[in-house]
Structures are given as C-alpha cells and as structure tokens.
Amino acid sequence: MKIYDFDEIIERRGTNCVKYDMLGAAYGNSEALPLWVADTDFRVPDFIMDALRERMEHEILAYSFRPDSYYETIVNWMDRQHDWKIEKEMITSSPGVVSAVTMLIMALSEPGDKVIVQPPVYFPFFTCIKGSDRKMVENPLIIKDGRYTFDFENLKRNIDEKTKLLILCSPHNPGGMVWTMEELEELSRICTEHGIVIISDEIHCDLIFAGHKHIPLPKVSETISNNCAVLMAPSKTFNVAGLSAALVIIPNKRLRVKYDKVLNTIHIHSGHIFGNIAIEAAFRNGYEWHDQLITYLEGNYKFLEAFVTEKLPKVKIMKPEATYLVWLDFTAYNLSEIALAKILIDGGIALNNGSKFGTGGEGYFRLNFGCPRSVLEEGLIKMEKALEKKED
Ligand SMILES: Cc1ncc(COP(=O)(O)O)c(C=O)c1O
C-alpha cells in the first residue's frame, strides 16, 4: 500500500491562490497564517496529476466530451462510498457547485419566488438567491445537544405559496454536521408536502469522520428523490477546486430537463477538459488515498480539540462530524466580532468571521484544519498568544 505524506509543506505563496495570495487584500496582513478559505494545503494525489499530465502531453486541448468510463467511475464511487445506486442518465454537470445552485434557482423558480436557507451557512448561497431576484427566507438552525439541527416549526411557519426551493448544505458548512436520517426525513416530508424542491449541496460528502455516515438526499425516500437535485464534486476532497468541475445529480427527469435547458443555453455543458479528467481519475483511483486523508484529518481535529480544550478553554468547539472546517464559539470573550477579528489578525492568524455565514454566526469564527499538522499547530499557538495578550 502506498503511504501518502500529508505532513509535507508546499509553498503556495506566489501561485495566485486565494488562501495565501489574497490575505493582504482580505485582511490587511499578507503574512498571516491562513486558516480561512475552504481548500487544503495537501498535494493533489499522484493518480490525478499523472492523468492530467498524460492528457496535457498530447498538446491538442480542443473540444472534448465525457466518455462512458467517466460516468461508470462516478456510478461506482457513489455505490461504494455512499451505498447510493444511481444511473448514468441522472448525472449532469456544472463548472462549480455554486454556479449549479444559481442555475437550479433559475431553472426551478421564477423571479420573486422564495428560497429558504438555513443559516449560519455557506454564504455564497445568499448571493445566488438575491442575484437571481428571488426572495431569501431564513430558517435559522438551532443548537441542540451541542450540534446544529433544523427548526421544523419555524420552517412550517415560513412557507407560503411563493416558496419554491430550499437550499440544504449536507454535510453542513460551517458546523460540520452530518444530517441524520430522522432530520432529513422530516425536512423532506415538510418540503414535499408543500411542493418545495430541495437543492442539496453535498460537496463535503466525502469528508466524513468515523461514526457518521453521509446520506445522499435521494436515499431518504422515493418522494424526495423526485423532488431534489444533488450537487457533489471532487474539489474539496482531492483539492482540485481550481479545475471547475462539479456533478449535478438529478434523479427526476422532469427536473433534470429543466436544469439542462439552462446549462445548455449558457453552453457550458461540455465542461473543462482537465476537470473531467480529474473527476474520473479521483473517483477511479482515489479510494486508498481518501482513507488516508480522512485518518489524517481526524488526527488534525483531535490535535485541535486537545489544544483548544487545554489552552483556550473559553473557546467552545462545535464538534465536526465531517469536513475540515471547525466552528468555534468565542462568545465567552464578550467582545465584538470586529474586536476579536482584529486580535486574531494582529496575532497573525486569519479565520473566517462568523457573521458572514448569516444569522446565528455572530460570535463564531470558522477555522480550516485541512493543512499539515505543523501548520495547524503554528496557527493554534498564534491564536493562544493573541488571546492571551487580550487577557493581560
Ligand atoms: C458548502 C459548499 N458549497 C460549495 C462550495 C464551492 O463550490 P464551487 O467552488 O464548486 O462553486 C464550497 C466551498 O467552500 C462549500 O463549502
């Protein structure tokens, strides 16, 4: 078995990467340690790089299509990783998950219609809705037993005849929740009862920690399978977000035809030559690498948990069940977000401000632990020093 090295430090500065090279613009401190943008500092695995290099060597990079082998590897991955049996016909595409959300909103609702989001949540959803001239309706998550869950009573109160869509983030960013069958069943039941289609963003579905199991939404019931669109991608797991390649899986033909009409109208259905190759290579050969990645991320989380519990007891962790993101509650410091953000960035560490994630995010910061452990340790030490100074 090949052993992959996730401890390797790779210099990313100077590659036009958002995480490092936009720190100055975003935080005014280009030297800070960036634990913000949700990509990882891990090398793209050799089996993806080899496939890309081999194709590049041909030196004609003209129009291409997705071969049968592309669809077969996706069908197999879904079966092996998620016990989810899908047909080739259900699989369509998008350059990205966020663009797919916007295209689905355009395909499945009209201007002025209402779209539900459940904040705090991945904030580009807000732009997808508002930029499409739809009305955003919030059903904020509630905290129960230390984890987020859905507020079904508030959801029911907020639905009216204009409500057409709900955007679900599953697993959840920023909280890291892997939604349970009970949670998904009730959410699906309420939505289908009111004719609401669920756009299920499952981009983090391959980053699940031991003891949890991701449930692709269509597995919940035949009814919701016919009333949802699932968005997945290798981008987070295999660190290929720059290759513009995502999967849109829509079991219901009527909904799929509507989505494909938008995709074909914009004329972006063929995808990116290297994105398509990366998807196939990742899902064909990624099983062993993926197991090692999860083990490493679990180790990083354990390290972070031990550090924060011992050295930063005022910071409360929402324990992630998935993703390489952790949602940290700083409310015990009794400081404004602006004040806390300044303390952290002056201390040399860049995290995401919680309020960006919408209602309920104030007082929290999101930390990305998808990096070598030594980098994570350096970041945590900076955080400890910055907050210690504050206590003086
Ligand atoms: C929940 C979620 N959806 C979508 C994305 C981005 O997807 P894409 O780059 O394919 O638009 C991210 C990236 O952080 C994410 O966390």
Side-chain angles (χ1 to χ4, degrees):
M1 187 175 80
K2 181 163 181 176
I3 304 294
Y4 291 94
D5 179 12
F6 296 97
D7 285 323
E8 182 187 12
I9 306 277
I10 299 174
E11 179 57 75
R12 294 186 64 187
R13 287 180 202 271
T15 61
N16 295 337
C17 72
V18 176
K19 196 176 191 175
Y20 286 81
D21 292 330
M22 287 186 73
L23 268 170
Y27 291 87
N29 180 356
S30 56
E31 295 308 311
L33 198 111
L35 302 182
W36 62 311
V37 175
D39 60 27
T40 72
D41 292 341
F42 304 133
R43 181 182 292 282
V44 175
D46 52 353
F47 47 86
I48 296 181
M49 290 309 303
D50 288 347
L52 294 174
R53 276 191 204 103
E54 190 190 335
R55 182 63 187 82
M56 200 176 291
E57 282 306 313
H58 184 254
E59 298 188 4
I60 293 180
L61 304 173
Y63 297 120
S64 68
F65 64 91
R66 300 179 180 92
D68 282 345
S69 55
Y70 165 93
Y71 293 98
E72 277 158 24
T73 56
I74 297 168
V75 168
N76 290 339
W77 181 267
M78 296 310 158
D79 190 15
R80 263 177 80 174
Q81 295 297 112
H82 302 295
D83 300 322
W84 186 29
K85 311 249 177 297
I86 59 168
E87 310 286 333
K88 171 187 169 182
E89 290 66 35
M90 298 176 185
I91 306 169
T92 177
S93 67
S94 170
V97 164
V98 177
S99 43
V101 170
T102 300
M103 287 189 279
L104 283 160
I105 291 172
M106 291 163 112
L108 305 177
S109 67
E110 300 295 328
D113 281 347
K114 294 181 180 173
V115 183
I116 299 176
V117 285
Q118 306 190 98
V121 72
Y122 180 61
F123 46 85
F125 293 163
F126 311 153
T127 316
C128 299
I129 299 169
K130 291 175 187 165
S132 315
D133 296 323
R134 271 58 165 180
K135 263 204 182 128
M136 186 168 94
V137 176
E138 293 192 357
N139 178 45
L141 296 168
I142 48 177
I143 298 177
K144 219 173 175 179
D145 301 327
R147 71 190 284 285
Y148 282 125
T149 190
F150 308 129
D151 186 343
F152 295 120
E153 291 315 311
N154 189 59
L155 175 64
K156 286 186 250 178
R157 274 195 299 276
N158 274 287
I159 292 172
D160 65 21
E161 68 289 349
K162 280 281 199 191
T163 317
K164 297 290 160 49
L165 296 165
L166 179 142
I167 306 176
L168 173 68
C169 193
S170 172
H172 186 66
N173 172 6
M177 274 67 249
V178 176
W179 305 118
T180 64
M181 185 53 105
E182 292 71 35
E183 287 169 324
L184 293 174
E185 268 174 354
E186 183 60 3
L187 188 76
S188 303
R189 197 191 59 72
I190 295 169
C191 286
T192 46
E193 191 178 302
H194 293 90
I196 296 169
V197 173
I198 300 183
I199 299 173
S200 189
D201 176 345
E202 304 186 13
I203 196 169
H204 293 280
C205 70
D206 290 312
L207 296 164
I208 308 293
F209 299 144
H212 301 277
K213 176 116 184 91
H214 173 73
I215 305 168
L217 191 63
K219 282 194 73 182
V220 170
S221 72
E222 188 64 29
T223 322
I224 195 62
S225 178
N226 276 314
N227 285 289
C228 75
V230 175
L231 311 176
M232 292 181 175
S235 48
K236 298 285 150 190
T237 313
F238 294 93
N239 210 16
V240 290
L243 287 178
S244 293
L247 303 173
V248 181
I249 305 176
I250 310 179
N252 181 275
K253 189 173 174 195
R254 187 179 54 84
L255 298 183
R256 196 167 62 241
V257 166
K258 286 188 179 182
Y259 172 78
D260 278 342
K261 188 175 171 200
V262 177
L263 186 76
N264 294 338
T265 305
I266 307 173
H267 207 71
I268 47 174
H269 47 283
S270 304
H272 191 293
I273 191 167
F274 292 124
N276 294 339
I277 287 169
I279 287 182
E280 183 169 343
F283 289 167
R284 179 180 302 282
N285 300 310
Y287 295 94
E288 218 167 60
W289 183 90
H290 173 257
D291 284 349
Q292 293 181 38
L293 171 74
I294 297 298
T295 303
Y296 193 85
L297 290 176
E298 286 175 338
N300 269 6
Y301 174 69
K302 279 194 192 114
F303 180 85
L304 176 142
E305 190 185 64
F307 188 103
V308 172
T309 308
E310 190 194 334
K311 306 215 165 106
L312 292 161
K314 279 170 89 172
V315 176
K316 211 166 122 202
I317 304 171
M318 186 171 284
K319 191 175 177 150
E321 300 160 353
T323 80
Y324 41 74
L325 308 166
V326 63
W327 194 227
L328 302 171
D329 177 352
F330 283 70
T331 48
Y333 285 91
N334 262 325
L335 289 167
S336 69
E337 182 175 274
I338 295 175
L340 274 166
K342 183 163 171 17
I343 291 167
L344 292 170
I345 202 66
D346 287 351
I349 176 161
L351 307 182
N352 291 95
N353 291 13
S355 64
K356 271 209 97 165
F357 297 80
T359 304
E362 185 90 20
Y364 288 80
F365 285 82
R366 190 190 73 177
L367 183 149
N368 174 350
F369 58 87
C371 57
R373 199 151 308 153
S374 59
V375 174
L376 176 63
E377 183 175 17
E378 193 186 333
L380 290 170
I381 291 170
K382 281 180 191 289
M383 202 159 109
E384 184 196 1
K385 287 203 174 126
L387 291 163
E388 233 171 40
K389 258 196 221 151
K390 175 65 217 147
E391 303 282 335
D392 289 344

